[in-house]
Amino acid sequence: MAAVYAEATAKKIRHPQREQKEMNDQVKRLQATLHPRSRRSLTLTALMLLLCPAADAIPQQIMTTAEQAELANKRLEKYHENQPLPSQRRLRFAYFLPSDREPAAHYRERLTRVLDSMTEFYAEQIASYGLTAQPVALDRDEDGLLRFTEVRGERPWQAYNTKEPASGAMIYSECLPALRAAGIEPTQETIAVFTAVMDWDSERMRFRQRSPYQVNGDAFTQTGMKFSVSSEGEVNTESLRERLVLAPVLANLRIGAAGEAARLTAAIPDEEPAKALALPMLTPPSQRPLAPDADARSWSLCDLRPASATVGWRTPAFDYSPEDLWIEVTGTVRRRGIFAHASSAYTWNLGGDWKSLTATCAVSDGPPGSVVFVVRVNGQETWRSPVTRPGQLVPCKLNISGANKLELIVEDAGDGTHRDHGYWLDPMIAK
């Protein structure tokens, strides 16, 4: 959040005399969209988001970081001045275990270190911009460690280890009695539930959390920041660094601010690996070359503007994922590929000059999706993949001689489109 907020110093803001009224209106609209049990808990983070102007807010002036911090503090003071006594609320914790899982060794000590480090980091970052830091009160036992309510699930771990929202709802409902027995009313408290629901790959030294995130009983999924730790304990934060560096670029692209995204990308040092990943983001499919080079014997479809493109989530994209940033399949980051979240369709008019199509079909790593890849030539289906899931690579090699119209389609596999992030990797046509 700090990185995104810092980039706001280069953006324009609304007229000062209208800011307070607009802020109040935005707060009311935001509260109206929240779950009824959450309206009283409009957080500092939500208020900070109000400081980021909408894409249609035409800047009237450029503000320094210090000036923005002063304005932010005034807004926060205004919000709190009519509130009752300072809140004594604490962030509560639950530890959910399927019926066939045991608690991880020293989990209280480990999670205490993690949460303490996180709260210190955000407090330092907020203060570094001149903002008034609000400490996060964590519920602790007398020994100083976080206090957890252990919840034993009714089912084995496989029942919860699924992308379907129903698994999150089961966890939430099974936590309620245990929390109430511990004197915690879930509808009146803010509670973080840690779950021992994951897949562990001992060969690759990786685990994946598949159960959906849960907020106030409503399930949703969110991709977190990724990093790896070797068996020797060495931390590799390269992918995490790329995400942090590119977060402002991606945020601007998502609201259609391509010019600002280009400016931010240009400001990234050339030696920063993330810059190479940012460049394809600035050239959407609609701006790729209209036709291959005249003397080309082979050509990547990632470098050819489609006649039409639709996807079931986010926007059409070549060489990156508008959802997960980079294309990662089977544990490897791929630099060339077509984002094709089901249901999706990309169409090219080839003029009958190309003879073959090759590609690798895959679903991105992470929460499991399942899709079917389809190729149509001149309106006729010529190839269909089996149901494809994360961890699988399905080769596609076709004769497309005489193809005037080429369509690459990704369909839902019949179990919903949640996380159905399909990719046509390295798609090439050749003569």
Side-chain angles (χ1 to χ4, degrees):
M1 184 178 71
V4 175
Y5 179 74
E7 292 299 338
T9 60
K11 296 183 179 179
K12 306 172 191 178
I13 64 168
R14 294 178 172 86
H15 238 287
Q17 56 264 38
R18 298 200 301 267
E19 287 173 353
Q20 186 60 54
K21 181 180 182 304
E22 291 185 0
M23 184 197 76
N24 292 336
D25 291 342
Q26 286 178 296
V27 170
K28 291 177 182 177
R29 288 195 296 271
L30 180 59
Q31 287 177 322
T33 64
L34 293 175
H35 192 285
R37 297 194 293 266
S38 302
R39 291 177 184 167
R40 63 183 175 277
S41 304
L42 188 60
T43 62
L44 172 63
T45 301
L47 285 174
M48 285 295 296
L49 293 176
L50 299 179
L51 298 178
C52 299
D56 60 351
I58 303 300
Q60 303 299 321
Q61 63 187 52
I62 301 298
M63 297 185 71
T64 66
T65 301
E67 289 171 334
Q68 288 204 31
E70 182 180 1
L71 176 60
N73 283 326
K74 288 181 179 178
R75 288 183 172 183
L76 293 172
E77 290 171 2
K78 183 68 176 178
Y79 173 75
H80 287 291
E81 68 181 10
N82 295 322
Q83 300 298 313
L85 296 175
S87 173
Q88 301 300 314
R89 292 166 65 89
R90 293 167 292 169
L91 178 60
R92 308 277 195 169
F93 301 96
Y95 188 59
F96 179 84
L97 296 160
S99 61
D100 56 351
R101 290 283 175 93
E102 295 302 320
H106 309 294
Y107 78 87
R108 291 181 64 233
E109 291 84 352
R110 294 158 64 187
L111 290 175
T112 296
R113 291 194 297 270
V114 170
L115 269 295
D116 284 345
S117 177
M118 289 174 59
T119 55
E120 290 173 8
F121 170 79
Y122 281 106
E124 291 172 358
Q125 292 297 303
I126 291 173
S128 71
Y129 289 102
L131 297 169
T132 302
Q134 300 290 333
V136 179
L138 306 179
D139 191 23
R140 298 179 186 270
D141 273 322
E142 294 180 356
D143 58 6
L145 300 178
L146 298 183
R147 187 198 315 271
F148 286 86
T149 299
E150 287 195 8
V151 181
R152 176 61 68 177
E154 300 173 2
R155 305 167 177 83
W157 75 274
Q158 291 95 333
Y160 310 101
N161 188 35
T162 170
K163 68 177 182 179
E164 295 301 327
S167 68
M170 286 190 292
I171 293 173
Y172 177 77
S173 63
E174 291 175 20
C175 283
L176 298 180
L179 290 168
R180 287 172 175 146
I184 301 172
E185 176 49 53
T187 63
Q188 303 296 322
E189 299 280 357
T190 303
I191 304 166
V193 179
F194 293 85
T195 64
V197 182
M198 70 281 291
D199 288 330
W200 170 245
D201 187 333
S202 58
E203 293 184 1
R204 297 168 65 184
M205 300 291 287
R206 298 178 62 179
F207 72 86
R208 298 184 187 280
Q209 180 79 17
R210 298 191 184 277
S211 177
Y213 287 71
Q214 200 78 10
V215 175
N216 285 331
D218 300 321
F220 70 98
T221 59
Q222 175 65 46
T223 299
M225 295 293 190
K226 298 180 180 179
F227 63 92
S228 61
V229 181
S230 71
S231 57
E232 291 76 29
E234 296 180 357
V235 179
N236 182 349
T237 60
E238 180 180 350
S239 61
L240 175 58
R241 178 182 177 84
E242 287 180 338
R243 286 184 179 272
L244 292 174
V245 170
L246 295 178
V249 176
L250 191 59
N252 278 277
L253 287 174
R254 283 177 175 169
I255 64 173
E260 180 66 7
R263 186 194 69 79
L264 294 172
T265 300
I268 299 175
D270 291 340
E271 61 272 16
E272 180 66 58
K275 191 166 189 174
L277 184 60
L279 294 175
M281 300 181 190
L282 305 177
T283 311
S286 61
Q287 296 179 17
R288 299 290 168 121
L290 278 170
D293 293 342
D295 58 349
R297 302 300 300 172
S298 62
W299 198 259
S300 172
L301 289 177
C302 295
D303 293 326
L304 187 60
R305 185 181 307 179
S308 64
T310 60
V311 293
W313 178 249
R314 297 292 187 190
T315 58
F318 290 170
D319 301 330
Y320 85 101
S321 164
E323 175 69 13
D324 298 321
L325 198 57
W326 52 64
I327 302 172
E328 185 173 358
V329 297
T330 62
T332 303
V333 174
R334 303 297 185 104
R335 296 303 185 188
R336 305 244 67 184
I338 296 173
F339 172 73
H341 189 291
S343 298
S344 70
Y346 288 82
T347 302
W348 290 267
N349 296 322
L350 299 182
D353 296 330
W354 302 87
K355 294 183 179 180
S356 67
L357 165 71
T358 58
T360 300
C361 303
V363 177
S364 64
D365 294 347
S370 55
V371 302
V372 175
F373 295 85
V374 179
V375 178
R376 291 179 183 170
V377 175
N378 298 332
Q380 299 296 316
E381 182 176 311
T382 57
W383 183 80
R384 175 176 289 266
S385 77
V387 173
T388 307
R389 297 181 173 85
Q392 298 175 322
L393 297 175
V394 179
C396 173
K397 186 174 181 179
L398 295 176
N399 184 332
I400 59 169
S401 297
N404 291 303
K405 181 180 179 182
L406 174 66
E407 297 173 86
L408 300 187
I409 296 167
V410 172
E411 299 176 350
D412 162 40
D415 57 353
T417 60
H418 177 71
R419 286 295 299 186
D420 280 354
H421 290 254
Y423 289 96
W424 299 91
L425 301 175
D426 300 310
M428 298 289 297
I429 52 176
K431 293 182 177 179

